[in-house]
């Protein structure tokens, strides 16, 4: 699984322009090959008894005494592997058409293969050290892809921003790994079970504070990769990359890594209720923040980016609820992978037809000329807002109901987030596909070629049926049990519960309000100034301003002080000492005149001093 896309990236990068004519095909074949291996591994895993569905594959000794290079095939890792390779392969196929006229297409597919390989290594790792190698590989690949169009200053800046912000989270993950090693003497997942962690607390080998610190540090790493508060500022800027990159980051790879890390590290969070509570609070705060941001974005890709930020918040909320929430979080992650990839690629199809225009105020009425793109996009839209019987209806409502049982406040805030989702996603659909045509004179929208529409159709099918398949009869929960455990009481699906009905009602209110604002009413081509709240959302809740005030400006002052102290303090001391010796030497050398009479006079004066001193001592 890992070797095939990694080999594809190596061939395309090392052989360079000699692979330009067929490089994109090699990239697709390698990704499909990885998907085939994942399916074969999945089938083989299903054939094993439940107690044996956790197979380790040791490759070689990586760091002696610390960690081997090894892979772990269990229900959790294979679920992610199927999503990464399956949705990733559809994005590869779509990219053949989307990047057909780009001179760097071969390099683009090399980076896509590298991204898939790094993400696979991350989820298949059997210990934290190997996971960190894949973690950094994902960061590198995202940097290369977000900044793929380096001639655009905004793209280059966005790539650097994503890379630097993620280093903050990576620092937390590193400290967590160091702490785990020093406390438990191991970084292997199969040795860091709930029993091992609780046993270490009971025996005094690890304090409750240490376990809580590990959980919070792991959460910091997850916040960086999954764009959760307070490390979310890179996500919307990352839309500067080609649209297939946005789909890959938001649906199948990078932003899902944080959720995976929290679920895989469940033993630490379950033993540290404080850290677990912080995970749920971060998730709820982020799902609300992302939804609010999505309400005010006219850029279709940034609107979808705010949506991703919000939906990952739901997954984090589920991951913070323990074993009963893990299955709902992973189910929502898998379903989200399909409908979010569907909508991002649909947005790319619209941009492809509209001369790369991203402003939805310059769309309108595209349903009549792009029926396949519009229909598939709307299926993804219905799935994400939780329309009954579509994927999101089962997965997101499961998270909300589970949250209600644990904490009423967090649960009702998640319900409010669902209502806002209904508004901003409906706003996007009405502004893009309905209403009056607001196209530019040189725009001639048309349906995309089949190499782009077929992946949209396949993704929309998953958006319809996947949620029910995973949730009903607790199918995914039972499947994941060997990896994450099984709750004492299996939850049922309650479509007519008070939270479920309230969620549907709020979503309906959001849809109706969006229709009156952006469907029935005329949409101005120039965005009105709006209220303070609108400005607040347009500026990403002032996240960048906050980072600048709290981190960047103090960092600049610290750097300037360090330079001043270095120049005037350390260098001043060294240079001052050298100058003092030099000045003293310059003055003393004047004593050396070169005249014999001067030296004779000096000797006479010195002899007189010595004689006088001897006479004085002799008389004492």
């Amino acid at each position: 699984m890992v070797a095939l896309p990694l080999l594809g990236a190596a061939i395309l990068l090392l052989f360079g322009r000699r692979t330009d004519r067929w490089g994109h095909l090699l990239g697709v074949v390698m990704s499909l090959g990885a998907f085939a291996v994942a399916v074969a591994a999945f089938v083989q895993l299903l054939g094993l008894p439940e107690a044996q569905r956790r197979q380790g594959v040791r490759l070689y000794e990586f760091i002696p005494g610390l960690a081997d290079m090894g892979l772990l095939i269990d229900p959790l890792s294979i679920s992610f592997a199927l999503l990464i390779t399956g949705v990733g392969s559809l994005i590869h196929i779509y990219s053949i058409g989307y990047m057909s006229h780009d001179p760097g297409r071969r390099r683009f597919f090399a980076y896509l293969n590298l991204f898939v390989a790094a993400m696979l290594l991350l989820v298949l790792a059997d210990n934290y050290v190997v996971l960190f190698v894949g973690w950094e590989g994902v960061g590198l690949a995202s940097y290369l892809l977000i900044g793929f169009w380096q001639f655009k200053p905004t793209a280059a800046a966005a790539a650097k921003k994503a890379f630097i912000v993620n280093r903050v989270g990576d620092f937390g993950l590193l400290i967590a790994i160091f702490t785990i090693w020093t406390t438990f003497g191991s970084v292997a997942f199969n040795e860091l079970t709930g029993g091992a962690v609780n046993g270490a607390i009971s025996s005094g080998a690890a304090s409750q504070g240490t376990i809580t610190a590990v959980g919070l540090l792991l959460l910091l790493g997850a916040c960086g990769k999954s764009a959760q508060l307070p490390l979310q500022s890179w996500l919307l800027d990352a839309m500067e990359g080609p649209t297939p990159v946005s789909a890959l980051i938001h649906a199948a790879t990078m932003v899902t890594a944080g959720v995976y890390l929290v679920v895989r590290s469940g033993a630490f969070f379950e033993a540290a209720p404080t850290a677990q509570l912080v995970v749920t609070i971060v998730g709820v705060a982020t799902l609300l923040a992302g939804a609010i941001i999505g309400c005010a974005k006219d850029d279709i890709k940034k609107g979808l980016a705010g949506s991703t930020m919000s939906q990952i918040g739901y997954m984090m909320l589920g991951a913070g609820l323990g074993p009963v929430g893990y299955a709902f979080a992973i189910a929502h992650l898998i379903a989200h992978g399909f409908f979010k990839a569907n909508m991002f690629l649909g947005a790319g199809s619209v941009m492809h037809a509209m001369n790369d225009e991203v402003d939805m105020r310059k769309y309108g009425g595209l349903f009549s000329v792009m029926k396949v793109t519009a229909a598939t996009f709307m299926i993804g839209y219905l799935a994400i807002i939780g329309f009954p019987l579509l994927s999101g209806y089962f997965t997101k409502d499961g998270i909300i109901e589970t949250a209600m049982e644990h904490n009423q406040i967090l649960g009702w805030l998640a319900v409010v987030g669902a209502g806002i989702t209904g508004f901003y996603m409906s706003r996007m659909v009405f502004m893009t596909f309905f209403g009056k045509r607001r196209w530019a004179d040189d725009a001639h929208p048309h349906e995309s070629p089949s190499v782009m529409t077929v992946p949209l159709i396949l993704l929309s099918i998953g958006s319809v049926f996947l949620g029910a398949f995973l949730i009903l009869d607790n199918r995914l929960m039972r499947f994941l049990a060997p990896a994450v455990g099984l709750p004492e009481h299996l939850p049922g699906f309650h479509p007519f519960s008070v939270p479920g009905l309230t969620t549907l009602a709020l979503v309906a209110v959001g849809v109706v309000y969006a229709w009156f604002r952006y469907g029935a009413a005329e949409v101005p081509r120039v965005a009105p100034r709006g209220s303070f709240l609108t400005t607040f959302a347009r500026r990403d809740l002032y996240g960048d301003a906050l980072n600048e005030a709290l981190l960047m400006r103090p960092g600049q002052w610290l750097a300037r002080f360090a330079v001043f102290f270095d120049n005037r303090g350390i260098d001043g001391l060294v240079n001052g000492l050298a100058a003092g010796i030099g000045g003293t030497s310059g003055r003393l050398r004047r004593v050396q005149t070169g005249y014999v009479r001067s030296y004779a006079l000096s000797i006479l004066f010195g002899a007189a001093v010595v004689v006088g001193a001897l006479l004085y001592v002799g008389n004492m």
Side-chain angles (χ1 to χ4, degrees):
M1 263 187 280
V2 180
L4 286 175
L6 190 61
L7 177 63
I11 292 173
L12 295 178
L13 291 174
L14 294 176
F15 288 90
R17 294 181 179 177
R18 284 171 287 183
T19 64
D20 278 353
R21 289 194 296 176
W22 46 268
H24 55 288
L25 299 178
L26 177 66
V28 171
V29 168
M30 289 302 188
S31 184
L32 286 172
F35 177 62
V37 175
V39 171
F42 174 66
V43 172
Q44 187 176 359
L45 198 67
L46 287 178
L48 297 174
E50 186 173 308
Q52 298 178 22
R53 291 181 182 176
R54 192 178 175 89
Q55 300 291 320
V57 182
R58 183 181 183 276
L59 301 179
Y60 57 88
E61 188 178 48
F62 184 35
I63 302 176
L66 176 61
D68 290 333
M69 180 62 71
L71 305 179
L72 175 64
I73 299 292
D74 68 357
L76 180 61
S77 64
I78 200 64
S79 298
F80 273 82
L82 288 170
L83 174 68
I84 295 163
T85 56
V87 174
S89 294
L90 292 177
I91 294 171
H92 275 70
I93 295 170
Y94 175 95
S95 300
I96 295 176
Y98 190 87
M99 301 293 289
S100 59
H101 301 296
D102 195 295
R105 181 168 67 167
R106 180 262 314 164
R107 182 167 51 90
F108 180 79
F109 275 84
Y111 295 160
L112 286 185
N113 271 195
L114 179 63
F115 211 153
V116 169
M119 189 66 190
L120 284 171
L121 181 62
L122 190 160
V123 300
L124 293 172
D126 71 349
N127 63 74
Y128 281 105
V129 173
V130 179
L131 178 146
F132 189 76
V133 175
W135 191 272
E136 293 303 296
V138 168
L140 170 63
S142 67
Y143 170 79
L144 296 173
L145 285 168
I146 293 170
F148 182 75
W149 288 324
Q150 300 170 4
F151 55 85
K152 295 170 57 179
T154 51
K160 288 187 288 185
K161 184 176 182 179
F163 196 81
I164 292 169
V165 172
N166 271 272
R167 297 290 72 73
V168 178
D170 295 353
F171 179 76
L173 178 57
L174 267 179
I175 300 300
I177 295 173
F178 297 157
T179 307
I180 291 170
W181 166 252
T182 55
T183 304
F184 296 93
S186 174
V187 291
F189 297 140
N190 61 354
E191 296 181 20
L192 298 169
T193 61
V197 175
N198 290 322
I201 295 174
S202 301
S203 65
S207 66
Q208 187 67 52
T210 300
I211 303 302
T212 300
V214 168
L216 294 176
L217 288 167
L218 290 170
L219 175 61
L220 181 61
C223 286
K225 276 291 183 286
S226 291
Q228 300 291 282
L229 294 174
L231 300 179
Q232 82 293 348
S233 61
W234 66 270
L235 188 65
L236 276 78
D237 289 27
M239 297 303 97
E240 291 292 337
T243 302
V245 175
S246 304
L248 194 61
I249 288 175
H250 288 247
T253 54
M254 188 164 177
V255 297
T256 65
V259 180
Y260 172 80
L261 179 65
V262 173
V263 174
R264 178 61 80 186
S265 307
F268 293 103
F269 289 100
E270 291 165 30
T274 300
Q276 204 170 36
L277 176 62
V278 174
V279 173
T280 59
I281 292 173
V282 168
V284 168
T286 307
L287 74 87
L288 290 173
I292 292 170
I293 289 172
C295 290
K297 292 297 181 182
D298 293 329
D299 183 321
I300 188 171
K301 288 176 66 177
K302 289 190 175 183
L304 288 171
S307 168
T308 297
M309 180 178 160
S310 180
Q311 297 306 307
I312 298 293
Y314 276 103
M315 299 171 207
M316 280 291 186
L317 172 60
L321 298 175
V324 70
Y326 294 155
F328 289 118
I330 299 302
H332 192 53
L333 186 150
I334 295 172
H336 176 266
F338 278 80
F339 56 68
K340 185 51 62 68
N342 178 17
M343 287 187 288
F344 258 114
L345 298 184
S349 182
V350 171
M351 292 167 56
H352 184 265
M354 295 290 288
N355 300 329
D356 290 328
E357 178 61 64
V358 296
D359 189 349
M360 293 184 291
R361 294 185 179 276
K362 299 177 183 178
Y363 292 164
L366 288 176
F367 188 92
S368 60
V369 292
M370 303 183 69
K371 288 185 170 56
V372 175
T373 297
T376 53
F377 191 99
M378 290 181 66
I379 290 174
Y381 149 72
L382 292 173
I384 197 173
I385 68 172
F387 190 82
L389 304 183
L390 271 69
S391 288
Y393 174 69
F394 294 96
T395 58
K396 187 163 64 176
D397 282 22
I399 293 174
I400 292 173
E401 289 187 18
T402 306
M404 283 287 186
E405 296 175 2
H406 283 73
N407 189 305
Q408 289 278 320
I409 296 175
L410 296 178
W412 284 113
L413 288 175
V415 171
V416 173
I420 302 174
T421 302
F423 169 74
Y424 74 79
M425 288 305 305
S426 300
R427 172 182 182 269
M428 186 179 298
V429 168
F430 297 147
M431 290 179 70
T432 301
F433 297 108
F434 298 97
K436 294 183 179 179
R437 299 179 177 184
R438 303 179 297 276
W439 313 335
D441 294 336
D442 60 343
H444 303 287
H446 54 279
E447 188 57 88
S448 298
S450 57
V451 73
M452 295 171 65
T453 56
V454 169
L456 295 179
I457 294 171
L458 294 176
L459 289 168
S460 66
I461 293 173
S463 302
V464 174
F465 299 108
L466 202 54
F469 176 77
L470 296 174
I471 296 300
L472 295 183
D473 195 32
N474 293 306
R475 187 174 283 107
L476 182 64
M477 188 172 291
R478 297 177 189 276
F479 176 69
L480 291 175
V484 300
L486 201 64
E488 295 181 4
H489 303 288
L490 293 180
F493 184 72
H494 308 291
F496 300 109
S497 64
V498 173
L501 293 175
T502 305
T503 300
L504 285 178
L506 284 180
V507 169
V509 169
V511 172
V512 172
Y513 181 58
W515 168 253
F516 282 111
R517 285 288 306 274
Y518 302 99
E522 185 174 349
V523 177
R525 284 176 59 88
V526 178
R529 182 177 180 181
S531 64
F532 167 76
L533 291 176
T534 302
T535 304
F536 187 55
R538 285 175 181 165
R539 297 187 180 181
D540 305 339
L541 310 186
Y542 293 103
D544 287 335
L546 188 63
N547 287 338
E548 182 176 339
L550 295 180
L551 301 174
M552 193 272 282
R553 295 298 179 192
Q556 282 185 330
W557 296 334
L558 179 62
R560 288 169 183 166
F561 173 76
V563 171
F564 176 82
F565 181 74
D566 182 59
N567 290 338
R568 300 296 179 88
I570 298 176
D571 287 354
L573 178 63
V574 174
N575 294 336
L577 180 61
I581 293 174
T584 304
S585 301
R587 288 173 174 80
L588 288 176
R589 71 182 181 182
R590 295 174 184 174
V591 178
Q592 304 297 325
T593 62
Y595 295 113
V596 174
R597 58 181 180 272
S598 299
Y599 298 154
L601 182 62
S602 298
I603 293 172
L604 178 62
F605 177 75
V609 171
V610 171
V611 170
L614 291 174
L615 291 174
Y616 176 77
V617 172
N619 293 329
M620 290 182 63

